[in-house]
Amino acid sequence: MAVNTRILLAARPEGAPKPSDFRIEDIPVPEPRDGDVLLKILYLSLDPYMRGRMSTAKSYAAPAAIGDVMPGGTVARVETSRHPDFVEGDIVLSYSGWQSYALSKGAGLRKLDPAVAPVSTALGVLGMPGFTAWSGLLLIGEPKPGETVVVAAASGAVGSAVGQIARIKGARAVGIAGGPEKCAYVRDALGFDAAIDHHAVDFPAQLAAACPNGIDVYFENVGGAVWEAVFPLLNKHARVPVCGLIAGYNATSPSGSGPDRLPVLMREILSRSLLIRGFIQTEFAAAHEAQFLREAGAWVGSGQLRYKEDIVEGLANAPEAFIGLLEGRNFGKLIIRVAP
Amino acid sequence: MAVNTRILLAARPEGAPKPSDFRIEDIPVPEPRDGDVLLKILYLSLDPYMRGRMSTAKSYAAPAAIGDVMPGGTVARVETSRHPDFVEGDIVLSYSGWQSYALSKGAGLRKLDPAVAPVSTALGVLGMPGFTAWSGLLLIGEPKPGETVVVAAASGAVGSAVGQIARIKGARAVGIAGGPEKCAYVRDALGFDAAIDHHAVDFPAQLAAACPNGIDVYFENVGGAVWEAVFPLLNKHARVPVCGLIAGYNATSPSGSGPDRLPVLMREILSRSLLIRGFIQTEFAAAHEAQFLREAGAWVGSGQLRYKEDIVEGLANAPEAFIGLLEGRNFGKLIIRVAP
């Protein structure tokens, strides 16, 4: 008899998550009733926002409860359908979490066509991370031709799309990544105008040199030391869409020890007419997701928008892979292959 | 022979400006040549932004040089015209600074019609402060009916317009002001839904009680303790146009002593999808000033947009009046009557 392997939140992490914050368990695969589809999970997406779900600190979504299945986006195959809209073998995007099977009533499922693009891209370049990049860059950042766009985690799912879309729109793209291998990929494979290694001791000076005309759009997904290097370079009327702050996700204290940088930030917001705007891509989905899928699908097809997947085999390896994601150990969109 | 009395920047203030940071001098009234108009200044506007002009700290405009006439907006009468577009007796808005006469080549002058509104309003509700309120509130804040708009310095030139325009647009307006007299004016004469005295020991609790549904738009013109009280009340998707930070203008150190509030701010920008946007009204002038003058003029005419002027007699009193402005001692738009 088939088992459903699930990974539960076992404890709220103090600082960086540890393997013992997760618990793995096997239970029977659930029985679909009328109106249900039984999904067999093929791919599980691992994303930085999941760190927020493990914590009770206020965030843009409610935390997972202790004992809950860890949440997450998934690509699944319909094993059994008792729902009129789905048949066995359909491949769907679902939000089934860290487990190998799930029931669904059909709401929120989106059918995927394997002929259009590899279905795993629905978790990356043609999914939530891609739409995060597209919406934050184009709807908030609004880069103009010739302007300079900077993004960190530039070899990752969001950052790689930000820089490439910036270039498609005629802007200069400067990527920040960790280590020479990732930087070479960002520059050579993705075609960014420059790539800077944030491990370099003279990282701020290298970034300044790569942005001789300053920074017009900084797509913020990391915070921390990268923000410190970017901030002095922001031009008048620069735009800063904020979709993540991964550098602080494992912080145990909400505030730093000082000096207090808030007054300087506010003064510069005023004197440089800066725009800073937090966002979650869901707010733009109703109005813009179809356009994104059309445009990004075409760019992927034409080779203008490339992507890299870092696929880890086996659900049991998800906790370790997720811990590595928060440390920047992945290289490309991190995905767990749950079933072949 | 007529003299031109001018007030010059004598020294850069350390902290709060002192009378000795200004110098008054009398020189002969200049002689207009072909293409010139000679302006006799009637009213001089005093505004918080002038503190920035006295300092070399980076700001949105270049500082005045030591020995320069202090800059400022003025309403003037054409005494002598050798310019084809102006005749003696025309009343114009000009940017002539702290002096009693000035030459102009006509560029940047705007003729005022005393039959439409008292000409001093071109320095206040129908001038730069009014347009600051209108553009920041409507183009950045975008209040929707039923939303809560909060503004400080609510009896002042900008704040009073912000709250009244918010109400015209169907939002709730909560004003913050210093002392019971100003609060009563904000509530009773200007019609704000609530007015809170920031001198009250339980000011944050009073503000929270006046905003039972949180804050959707905070029009930032003061910073400091008001920001501290406002920040926890900002709703998801709240908008914060930033046009001034008067509470910090006399600060001698750019950063506070800590703890560092920047990480908390960025985290809340992300988790509440906040928008923070610094602006100077000039960026909106070309596209929107005519619309503002039309709308605000109509609202002033209908009594929906009221204003209060705090008129101080005599140019020699400008330094003391300006020092008081930075301490909140004015009550309404501060204007120097330079000539009757």
Side-chain angles (χ1 to χ4, degrees):
Chain A
M1 180 187 157
V3 296
N4 180 18
T5 300
R6 324 193 297 173
I7 297 181
L8 314 178
L9 177 63
R12 302 212 179 278
E14 291 276 327
K18 320 176 282 301
S20 61
D21 295 327
F22 304 89
R23 184 158 56 82
I24 192 161
E25 71 169 20
D26 288 342
I27 60 166
V29 170
E31 242 345 283
R33 302 183 185 188
D34 272 355
D36 286 347
V37 288
L38 175 64
L39 300 174
K40 180 181 171 74
I41 311 303
L42 305 178
Y43 296 105
L44 164 67
S45 179
L46 294 184
D47 300 280
Y49 76 84
M50 294 166 173
R51 178 64 183 82
R53 299 292 193 284
M54 301 178 78
S55 165
T56 53
K58 211 173 88 184
S59 178
Y60 46 78
I66 300 292
D68 275 1
V69 175
M70 281 289 295
T74 46
V75 168
R77 186 172 59 225
V78 174
E79 281 289 284
T80 310
S81 178
R82 298 183 62 180
H83 188 292
D85 296 347
F86 298 92
V87 298
E88 191 186 320
D90 278 349
I91 306 292
V92 296
L93 177 67
S94 66
Y95 198 78
S96 300
W98 298 27
Q99 57 186 339
S100 50
Y101 288 89
L103 288 182
S104 166
K105 302 225 169 283
L109 299 186
R110 191 173 88 215
K111 286 191 204 181
L112 301 173
D113 182 351
V116 170
V119 293
S120 60
T121 58
L123 301 176
V125 67
L126 298 180
M128 180 276 286
F131 187 51
T132 297
W134 185 95
S135 59
L137 180 67
L138 299 184
L139 303 178
I140 299 172
E142 300 187 60
K144 291 184 262 300
E147 286 192 333
T148 297
V149 174
V150 170
V151 64
S155 68
V158 175
S160 62
V162 167
Q164 293 178 91
I165 297 171
R167 283 187 54 82
I168 288 168
K169 298 295 179 181
R172 279 189 79 235
V174 175
I176 298 164
E181 193 190 4
K182 288 180 179 176
C183 285
Y185 168 74
V186 165
R187 202 169 32 232
D188 302 336
L190 300 182
F192 281 48
D193 296 276
I196 313 292
D197 184 351
H198 65 79
H199 295 148
V201 288
D202 62 341
F203 161 64
Q206 286 194 29
L207 182 65
C211 303
N213 300 318
I215 297 173
D216 301 293
V217 178
Y218 171 55
F219 191 103
E220 173 65 293
N221 53 7
V222 298
V226 172
W227 168 260
E228 284 300 297
V230 162
F231 183 53
L233 304 176
L234 292 175
N235 287 333
K236 206 165 152 81
H237 291 293
R239 290 81 69 196
V240 181
V242 180
C243 86
L245 296 163
I246 192 169
Y249 285 178
N250 287 336
T252 50
S253 163
S255 49
S257 56
D260 182 11
R261 294 173 293 170
L262 182 68
V264 171
L265 175 68
M266 294 302 287
R267 194 174 306 183
E268 295 299 320
I269 286 173
L270 176 58
S271 70
R272 288 188 258 167
S273 296
L274 304 179
L275 166 75
I276 302 185
R277 166 73 149 81
F279 76 102
I280 313 299
Q281 42 82 28
T282 47
E283 70 175 280
F284 301 117
H288 294 281
E289 198 175 33
Q291 181 190 356
F292 155 71
L293 287 171
R294 211 164 49 236
E295 291 188 0
W299 294 331
V300 168
S302 67
Q304 288 175 281
L305 179 54
R306 298 177 178 208
Y307 62 95
K308 184 180 185 68
E309 294 175 334
D310 184 340
I311 294 187
V312 172
E313 297 290 336
L315 185 61
N317 292 318
E320 193 56 42
F322 179 67
I323 290 166
L325 172 70
L326 295 175
E327 295 167 358
R329 279 196 266 125
N330 61 303
F331 187 2
K333 173 69 191 98
L334 185 58
I335 292 174
I336 301 293
R337 195 194 315 267
V338 180
Chain B
M1 181 186 155
V3 297
N4 180 20
T5 301
R6 325 193 296 172
I7 297 181
L8 314 177
L9 177 63
R12 302 213 179 276
E14 290 276 327
K18 321 177 280 303
S20 61
D21 296 327
F22 304 89
R23 183 159 57 84
I24 192 161
E25 71 170 20
D26 288 343
I27 60 167
V29 170
E31 244 343 285
R33 302 182 185 188
D34 273 354
D36 285 346
V37 289
L38 174 65
L39 300 173
K40 179 181 170 74
I41 312 302
L42 306 178
Y43 296 105
L44 164 67
S45 180
L46 294 184
D47 301 280
Y49 76 83
M50 294 167 173
R51 178 64 183 82
R53 298 292 192 284
M54 302 179 77
S55 166
T56 53
K58 212 174 88 185
S59 179
Y60 45 80
I66 300 291
D68 275 1
V69 175
M70 282 288 297
T74 46
V75 167
R77 188 174 58 225
V78 173
E79 281 289 283
T80 309
S81 178
R82 298 181 64 179
H83 187 292
D85 297 347
F86 298 92
V87 297
E88 190 188 319
D90 280 348
I91 307 293
V92 297
L93 177 67
S94 66
Y95 198 78
S96 301
W98 298 28
Q99 57 185 340
S100 50
Y101 287 89
L103 288 182
S104 166
K105 302 224 168 284
L109 299 187
R110 193 173 86 214
K111 286 191 205 181
L112 301 173
D113 182 352
V116 170
V119 293
S120 60
T121 59
L123 301 176
V125 67
L126 298 180
M128 180 276 286
F131 188 50
T132 298
W134 186 96
S135 60
L137 180 67
L138 299 183
L139 303 178
I140 299 172
E142 300 187 63
K144 291 184 262 300
E147 285 192 334
T148 297
V149 174
V150 170
V151 64
S155 68
V158 175
S160 61
V162 167
Q164 291 178 89
I165 297 172
R167 282 187 54 84
I168 289 169
K169 297 295 180 182
R172 279 189 79 236
V174 175
I176 298 164
E181 193 190 4
K182 288 179 179 176
C183 285
Y185 168 75
V186 165
R187 203 167 32 231
D188 302 336
L190 301 182
F192 281 47
D193 296 277
I196 313 293
D197 184 350
H198 65 78
H199 295 148
V201 288
D202 62 340
F203 161 64
Q206 286 193 30
L207 182 65
C211 303
N213 300 319
I215 297 172
D216 301 293
V217 179
Y218 171 55
F219 191 103
E220 173 65 292
N221 52 7
V222 298
V226 173
W227 168 259
E228 285 300 298
V230 162
F231 183 54
L233 303 176
L234 292 175
N235 286 333
K236 205 165 153 77
H237 292 293
R239 289 82 69 195
V240 181
V242 180
C243 86
L245 297 164
I246 192 169
Y249 285 177
N250 285 337
T252 49
S253 163
S255 49
S257 57
D260 182 13
R261 294 173 294 169
L262 182 68
V264 171
L265 175 68
M266 293 303 287
R267 194 174 304 185
E268 295 299 321
I269 286 174
L270 176 59
S271 71
R272 288 188 257 167
S273 295
L274 303 179
L275 166 75
I276 302 184
R277 166 73 150 81
F279 76 103
I280 312 299
Q281 44 80 31
T282 46
E283 69 174 281
F284 302 117
H288 294 281
E289 198 175 33
Q291 181 189 356
F292 155 71
L293 287 171
R294 211 162 50 235
E295 291 188 0
W299 294 332
V300 168
S302 66
Q304 290 175 279
L305 180 54
R306 297 179 177 205
Y307 62 96
K308 185 182 186 67
E309 294 176 333
D310 184 340
I311 294 188
V312 172
E313 296 292 336
L315 184 60
N317 292 316
E320 193 56 42
F322 180 66
I323 290 166
L325 172 70
L326 294 175
E327 296 167 358
R329 279 197 266 125
N330 60 304
F331 187 2
K333 172 69 191 99
L334 185 59
I335 293 174
I336 301 293
R337 196 195 314 270
V338 180

